[in-house]
Amino acid sequence: MVDYDEPVKDYETYFKEHHARTVSEFFEDLVRTSGVNEQENIALVTEIKDLETSKSSKASTRKGWKAGRIASIVVAIGLAILAFSLGDWNYLWLLPAVGLIVLVFAKFNPEIKKLDDIVAQLDAEITEKKDVAWSQMAPLNALHSWDVARKLFQSTFPTAALDAYFANGRHDDLTENYDLSDDFMNGRSALFSQGGSIGGNPFVISRYIQHWMGVMSYSGSIIIYWTEYVRDSDGNQRAVQRSQTLTATVTKPYPMFTPHTALIYGHEAAPNLSFSRQPSSLSDLDDGAFNNWRKEKAVKKVEKMARKAVKSGNSGITAMANREFEALFNAVDRDNEIEFRLLFTPLAQQEMVNLMKDKDVAYGDDFAFSKYGKLNVVEPRHLGSTALDNSPRNFVSYDIEEARATFNNLHNAYFKSIYFGLAPLLTVPLYRENRSLPALKTNKDSENLSPWEHEAMANVIGGAAFAHPDSITENLLKTSRISHSNGVDTVSVTAYGYAGFPRVDIVPMLGGDGNWHEVPVNWTEYIQVERESQFYVGVTSSEDTPVDMAGFQKQGISAENVYVRGPLGAALPGA
């Protein structure tokens, strides 16, 4: 593997092509292993597409005939009405009406019936041939597995080790050695967690639902009427009717549930430093005179803060020599200038600028970056739209050419997304150094599932299964393990949702008639409700063992009732 020191350039010149080749070769190996006759499938799919084209054409023609039939009937009815409305039944108007009705039964209906039969026949042929195509592709479809994306990523980029699941050992390492607080998940519920390490330094990619109370605006309106007396041009007084719509708005608390994706990385470098930064609009600017002025203005703001800090006797910050880095990264809340400069060497600054400005190869400046001592949190927007679990269902197809394109596209997109999710961290040379802290001691609980995986699997089952019957909103699921036996955790889950109660506020408003009017505004009051229940979670497979549902079966649960994602399974009691 190439040395990793220029993330954007290294991806463009090596990793992108190398991974594409690795993915392609892997798929072709699957095809060979499956024994699928590719040419037979291609020929059959070509027939299916020809039939679908013919069906679409016939259906379009049928639509035209149906439109003609409707138009003929409408015109015939109009002519009949016209004939009868002329008084002495004007039969001359009835003749074309009768002719159109005859045309409907003699021509339109037979053509439509013939096309119905053709479309139905084509449908049957398409279904029959698709069944054959699915049978052809069944051996290949059966070879797709949950862990392929993880293994392919590591093959191309062995710097990062990706875990099969987020285990207690990885979670405890982050909390005990790198100060990941249990409070991090307060008001949050994990949807997916991918544990891993770089040089022994732990990380987790977490997608979660975050809940908070936001606000919702509600509106109500009434129409008022009044009479005004005005004088016309002749000087006469006359009454004029007026009306006005009075609209009132009230703002009330409203429960919000929003998905987020974050990469949390533990490293002992610069342990006394904290800072935060948000994506900067300046990163998108070119080097024109006006844009350079805007960047310079941002740097001067930092310098002004530094001067104030010196005058007040605080250590404060000092603007970097790389003024573009200072303007774009804009970590003005950093609290240890020496350690900040230790992290962001001149090389790190330049590579960070390259990363933030590049939208052709990378994603540009789409990430927030916070550091809290030994814990780093990166939140790249692009990770939020990435399929992180890579379900085998994504790659199942009856069309081998479509399957090949999907497999290559999704795995290449996955690699790029994770790679550039890590890139803000790995632009920093110190963050690429191997771990120096002693490894966390393992115990019999280290390989068990972390609390985050419990929440993620509860969310795989879905909030509806755990929700309070009065809840009308999304639910935040929080879990705690009760016991572990036969490889399966018994987990308590509490679903926090909200019941809704209709309310009405009366808002006084001054109308154009000079009077105050009461405008009712309907709104909903949300009261939190919760329900506690239980479910089971366990590891159903690993790299060395096939799917094993024995732990669930010992709980009296049928294998078909187990929700599976990756190597994990979850089930409701009595399923």
Side-chain angles (χ1 to χ4, degrees):
M1 192 191 80
V2 299
D3 292 334
Y4 186 98
D5 53 10
E6 298 177 272
V8 177
K9 181 180 178 182
D10 292 339
Y11 177 82
E12 183 179 22
T13 60
Y14 176 77
F15 289 117
K16 180 179 180 180
E17 181 182 348
H18 181 72
H19 191 69
R21 184 169 59 253
T22 300
V23 170
S24 178
E25 290 173 354
F26 187 91
F27 183 83
E28 300 313 320
D29 284 342
L30 289 181
V31 174
R32 283 189 289 271
T33 302
S34 72
V36 169
N37 188 316
E38 184 169 350
Q39 296 309 313
E40 283 186 3
N41 179 260
I42 291 173
L44 182 56
V45 170
T46 299
E47 291 180 30
I48 293 171
K49 290 180 178 178
D50 289 342
L51 289 170
E52 288 177 334
T53 300
S54 179
K55 174 191 167 185
S56 178
S57 175
K58 296 299 181 184
S60 179
T61 302
R62 180 179 60 180
K63 184 178 180 181
W65 279 103
K66 285 183 175 181
R69 179 172 64 181
I70 293 172
S72 297
I73 293 172
V74 170
V75 172
I77 292 172
L79 291 171
I81 292 173
L82 183 61
F84 294 132
S85 66
L86 294 177
D88 298 329
W89 290 16
N90 192 330
Y91 294 103
L92 291 177
W93 289 105
L94 282 178
L95 291 177
V98 172
L100 287 172
I101 296 300
V102 170
L103 185 64
V104 165
F105 285 95
K107 185 63 176 176
F108 285 89
N109 285 352
E111 287 293 336
I112 292 171
K113 176 64 169 61
K114 182 173 71 175
L115 290 167
D116 282 341
D117 294 340
I118 293 173
V119 169
Q121 182 181 351
L122 290 170
D123 257 333
E125 290 183 44
I126 291 169
T127 299
E128 181 181 353
K129 290 184 182 296
K130 279 188 176 180
D131 288 343
V132 175
W134 280 112
S135 297
Q136 290 178 340
M137 289 287 288
L140 176 58
N141 290 333
L143 294 177
H144 297 299
S145 60
W146 290 90
D147 59 357
V148 171
R150 177 173 62 88
K151 290 179 177 178
L152 289 175
F153 184 94
Q154 289 185 156
S155 176
T156 301
F157 193 65
T159 297
L162 301 182
D163 302 334
Y165 56 88
F166 189 39
N168 265 334
R170 188 72 75 194
H171 177 266
D172 292 345
D173 192 14
L174 282 165
T175 55
E176 294 181 25
N177 285 326
Y178 299 93
D179 303 324
L180 173 62
S181 172
D182 290 335
D183 293 340
F184 181 83
M185 291 303 287
N186 285 351
R188 297 168 175 172
S189 179
L191 300 175
F192 177 85
S193 297
Q194 173 67 70
S197 64
I198 296 173
N201 304 293
F203 70 81
V204 60
I205 299 172
S206 178
R207 179 166 293 160
Y208 52 85
I209 286 287
Q210 183 160 358
H211 164 59
W212 78 98
M213 288 304 293
V215 294
M216 170 74 77
S217 293
Y218 301 84
S219 296
S221 62
I222 61 172
I223 301 175
I224 60 172
Y225 302 90
W226 70 95
T227 301
E228 288 185 0
Y229 292 91
V230 299
R231 292 189 181 277
D232 58 23
S233 56
D234 296 328
N236 299 318
Q237 193 176 56
R238 61 184 182 87
V240 177
Q241 297 298 317
R242 305 288 191 192
S243 66
Q244 181 186 15
T245 300
L246 298 178
T247 301
T249 301
V250 297
T251 301
K252 300 293 181 180
Y254 183 82
M256 308 291 289
F257 299 85
T258 306
H260 293 268
T261 304
L263 192 157
I264 303 167
Y265 182 56
H267 200 286
E268 63 267 30
N272 303 305
L273 170 65
S274 295
F275 67 79
S276 63
R277 60 90 54 185
Q278 294 294 322
S280 171
S281 60
L282 298 178
S283 301
D284 293 331
L285 302 180
D286 58 28
D287 293 329
F290 178 71
N291 292 336
N292 285 337
W293 173 80
R294 290 178 61 186
K295 294 175 184 178
E296 185 68 19
K297 185 178 179 181
V299 175
K300 289 186 180 300
K301 181 179 179 181
V302 177
E303 292 173 339
K304 183 178 180 181
M305 293 174 63
R307 288 193 298 270
K308 283 185 176 180
V310 171
K311 288 180 180 179
S312 63
N314 299 323
S315 58
I317 63 175
T318 305
M320 295 286 200
N322 187 330
R323 301 169 72 81
E324 189 170 27
F325 169 81
E326 193 70 80
L328 304 186
F329 198 70
N330 196 35
V332 294
D333 62 349
R334 55 190 187 254
D335 59 3
N336 190 309
E337 191 68 16
I338 294 175
E339 290 195 352
F340 188 79
R341 289 171 176 269
L342 184 68
L343 280 186
F344 293 100
T345 61
L347 175 61
Q349 294 176 46
Q350 186 56 52
E351 290 309 313
M352 186 66 79
V353 168
N354 291 341
L355 179 64
M356 291 186 292
K357 293 179 67 176
D358 192 294
K359 278 192 170 183
D360 295 325
V361 177
Y363 295 93
D365 188 0
D366 77 332
F367 59 91
F369 189 166
S370 301
K371 177 174 170 61
Y372 310 95
K374 291 180 285 187
L375 201 69
N376 302 270
V377 181
V378 181
E379 298 177 79
R381 290 176 188 151
H382 69 264
L383 267 182
S385 58
T386 301
L388 296 175
D389 62 5
N390 283 283
S391 167
R393 291 186 294 270
N394 294 338
F395 310 105
V396 170
S397 176
Y398 67 87
D399 178 351
I400 193 166
E401 291 184 314
E402 179 184 76
R404 177 179 285 109
T406 300
F407 189 89
N408 282 275
N409 291 339
L410 289 183
H411 283 294
N412 287 330
Y414 175 85
F415 179 85
K416 178 181 178 181
S417 184
I418 302 297
Y419 176 95
F420 281 111
L422 293 167
L425 295 164
L426 299 181
T427 57
V428 179
L430 279 179
Y431 282 160
R432 301 198 296 270
E433 292 188 358
N434 291 342
R435 176 186 185 130
S436 60
L437 290 178
L440 189 73
K441 292 182 179 180
T442 59
N443 54 48
K444 64 180 182 180
D445 193 44
S446 296
E447 294 304 313
N448 287 335
L449 304 182
S450 69
W452 293 18
E453 289 288 21
H454 290 154
E455 287 184 6
M457 293 308 293
N459 281 299
V460 168
I461 294 175
F466 305 108
H468 188 284
D470 292 338
S471 175
I472 63 170
T473 65
E474 193 170 346
N475 285 262
L476 194 77
L477 305 183
K478 301 300 295 181
T479 62
S480 61
R481 189 174 69 173
I482 298 173
S483 62
H484 177 84
S485 63
N486 300 316
V488 173
D489 292 337
T490 301
V491 180
S492 171
V493 55
T494 303
Y496 297 94
Y498 290 83
F501 300 92
R503 301 286 187 253
V504 180
D505 276 9
I506 303 300
V507 181
M509 295 193 70
L510 182 63
D513 59 356
N515 298 318
W516 288 92
H517 300 269
E518 294 183 340
V519 180
V521 180
N522 296 301
W523 59 280
T524 302
E525 182 179 11
Y526 291 92
I527 305 297
Q528 189 175 79
V529 292
E530 61 185 74
R531 175 175 175 255
E532 185 175 351
S533 49
Q534 294 181 8
F535 74 112
Y536 302 110
V537 189
V539 178
T540 60
S541 63
S542 69
E543 293 183 6
D544 303 319
T545 61
V547 175
D548 180 10
M549 295 293 182
F552 289 98
Q553 290 168 344
K554 289 178 181 179
Q555 301 288 348
I557 296 168
S558 301
E560 61 268 18
N561 293 326
V562 177
Y563 294 80
V564 175
R565 183 168 73 180
L568 308 183
L572 297 168

